[in-house]
Amino acid sequence: HLSLRMLYTELLQLWNEAVKALDARDWEGALAKLEQISEPTSRTLFNTASAHLALGQLDQALKALDFTIAKDERLAVGFFQRAAVMMLEEALSDCIWAQKHMRGNMVIDYRQLGLQFKLYSWQVLYNAAAVYCRMGQWEQAREVLVSASQEKGGGGRGASIEMRQEVLDPLLVPEGVVFRPRKQDVEQLQQRDFLGKAKVISSMIPNDDFGGFEPLRLQVLYNDQCQYKIWLSVTPYAELCHSVFSTETWFL
């Protein structure tokens, strides 16, 4: 499973470096790190979309959100964000899917997944009303906005839509609010060495100049009393030592 561990290590390292760049508002630097991830996840792809949005690159942001949703078709915040960026008739479908994946909950707290954001049902309805405004369907917009106001606990906002026919700006996940890797994973990554360190094992036989790898070797060492001990090399971590003049057996 070494390859899987290396992929996970790569993901954490690049993801963490990208988040640091996003925090510094280095959008292009963040994109450079995110694009190096060989196996991106829905969360890193969402971050890619966020960086493109900050740069005003709407088409690239939409493409990244397409990939985000393809990776996780139940990510309500992904549908919510894509609808807000798209703001076309097709965005109504994303609003519906976002509501569906909220599973009847009034709010989803994404902090457990590393995103400091709470998605409320009323926010999804509000964006649906914003789409209706852009389509010129003011009555539908008013009805949906009244429902959003009721869920939020406010009132009166729907009447202004009907009278002024104002176009609503969509709600989005705020700039810089992105998915972050778990702090403990990043800390462990700095302490962990997946490949291990090479160890030099010296032979116990005088004048043994052998170097390389081979199957188990029987090593015999004579002393000045013509007694000898036999070593059977097992692994670098344990060697069985046995004296032919005693029954004692131990591990070095």
Side-chain angles (χ1 to χ4, degrees), residues 14-180:
L14 292 172
W15 185 3
N16 186 51
E17 290 171 3
V19 167
K20 290 180 179 179
L22 290 167
D23 289 343
R25 302 180 66 83
D26 179 9
W27 315 119
E28 295 197 357
L31 287 172
K33 293 296 182 181
L34 290 166
E35 289 169 358
Q36 293 179 47
I37 299 176
S38 56
E39 293 292 337
T41 66
S42 60
R43 287 179 279 180
T44 62
L45 289 167
F46 186 94
N47 290 0
T48 299
S50 298
H52 282 303
L53 279 177
L55 290 168
Q57 301 170 345
L58 299 187
D59 289 341
Q60 292 94 321
L62 280 173
K63 185 176 181 180
L65 287 168
D66 289 342
F67 288 133
T68 300
I69 293 170
K71 283 284 186 179
D72 187 352
E73 296 179 351
R74 298 182 180 180
L75 190 65
V77 72
F79 287 100
F80 170 78
Q81 190 80 334
R82 189 170 70 174
V85 175
M86 191 184 306
M87 276 294 108
L88 299 172
E89 184 175 357
E90 294 85 350
L92 289 174
S93 176
D94 278 353
C95 291
I96 292 172
W97 281 107
Q99 282 277 11
K100 178 179 179 180
H101 293 310
M102 292 189 74
R103 300 177 180 271
N105 296 306
M106 300 299 291
V107 60
I108 296 179
D109 189 346
Y110 283 96
R111 286 180 296 180
Q112 290 185 347
L113 293 179
L115 183 71
Q116 295 294 317
F117 182 75
K118 292 181 179 181
L119 177 62
Y120 291 88
S121 178
W122 72 262
Q123 292 175 315
V124 179
L125 291 173
Y126 184 95
N127 278 2
V131 176
Y132 280 123
C133 287
R134 282 162 172 73
M135 296 170 60
Q137 298 183 19
W138 303 105
E139 183 60 28
Q140 290 93 330
R142 187 193 67 81
E143 291 177 0
V144 174
L145 195 57
V146 167
S147 297
S149 297
Q150 290 173 347
E151 285 198 11
K152 186 181 180 183
R157 177 66 174 168
S160 65
I161 282 265
E162 184 178 20
M163 294 189 307
R164 301 183 195 175
Q165 293 190 350
E166 62 180 272
V167 175
L168 301 175
D169 292 327
L171 302 175
L172 295 100
V173 176
E175 184 179 287
V177 177
V178 295
F179 283 102
R180 300 169 182 272

